[in-house]
Structure formats: structure tokens, C-alpha cells
Amino acid sequence: MAKKITKPKFAANLHHIFGSATPPTPEVVDTLWQLLIHNDGIAVMHKIITYMTQRKQHRQRWVGALVNSPVPVKLIAGALDPISGQHMIDRYSQLIPNANVTTLPTLGHYPQVEDASAVTAAYLKFRHTIG
């Protein structure tokens, strides 16, 4: 199935998951496409999605690790991400006591690409607070 993906389909998907105000540039599309096809990466894409099953299988352990983390944890996420956006931010905030979250309201699935400065600023602010 994944081998049938084309660069135009890939680009359309990126446009869907990026924030509407921060669409991927042609250079970003080209770079991510090159990374995807390197070493026939498309052929193993189906193996990457196994994390969805693992997420269900290991939910208690993984959530427990976040809840009981001995180190500070920061979530920086794009609210417009249709995969893990505002709904995931809300759920994370429900599950994690005193959750440290920076919501980037205009960004999508790849906030580090869409607005690297905003992600860096949020991280540096967090880093400063933990010493």
C-alpha cells in the first residue's frame, strides 16, 4: 500500500496536517520526500504505524511513566494537528497532574518545522525553569 504513495499525494497529506497558516514549503516537501524514499523507506512505512497497536498494548505503562516521571516533562504541540492536536493536548492535560504544556494554536503536526522559533522559545523557557 505505501509503495503506491506518490510525491504529489505525500505533499497533499503534508498540507492537510500542517497548520493552514504554515503550509509546507516546496523545499520542506522535497526534503521530507527525499528522506522518505531514501533506502526504499516507503517499503517499510507500514511497519512504522505499529506504534498504534503498541500504544493500546502499553498504555498503562506509558501513561504511568509520564505521570510518575522523576524528571520534568514538557509537551509542546500544535493545536491544529488533526492527528495529535488539541484533542491530544486536552487528554494529556487531564491525565498528567500539573501538566506543563505549550499549545501552539496556529500550528499543526510538525510545529518544529512550521515555526521552529516558537518551539525553541517554549523549550528554552522550560529549560530555564528546570535549571
Side-chain angles (χ1 to χ4, degrees):
M1 176 88 171
K3 284 191 171 197
K4 294 181 181 182
I5 192 168
T6 64
K7 187 175 177 183
K9 287 181 186 177
F10 178 73
N13 185 53
L14 287 177
H15 280 271
H16 174 70
I17 63 175
F18 272 59
S20 58
T22 55
T25 65
E27 294 79 17
V28 166
V29 172
D30 289 344
T31 299
L32 294 176
W33 178 253
Q34 288 303 313
L35 290 169
L36 181 61
I37 65 172
H38 178 75
N39 253 357
D40 199 24
I42 287 178
V44 296
M45 278 183 62
H46 67 283
K47 293 180 179 182
I48 296 171
I49 201 67
T50 61
Y51 80 90
M52 296 298 287
T53 302
Q54 293 170 352
R55 223 171 53 171
K56 292 176 185 172
Q57 180 184 4
H58 302 294
R59 182 189 184 282
Q60 186 173 0
R61 185 175 65 154
W62 291 359
V63 171
L66 289 169
V67 169
N68 301 307
S69 176
V71 298
V73 176
K74 171 79 169 177
L75 173 65
I76 303 169
L80 298 181
D81 178 357
I83 300 164
S84 55
Q86 190 62 55
H87 61 286
M88 188 274 305
I89 295 165
D90 294 343
R91 185 67 177 138
Y92 180 88
S93 296
Q94 289 173 348
L95 292 172
I96 310 303
N98 303 311
N100 189 336
V101 178
T102 294
T103 301
L104 302 169
T106 62
L107 303 183
H109 191 68
Y110 292 105
Q112 72 278 15
V113 174
E114 297 173 55
D115 189 346
S117 295
V119 173
T120 301
Y123 168 74
L124 291 174
K125 183 177 179 183
F126 167 68
R127 180 69 181 101
H128 179 73
T129 64
I130 62 171

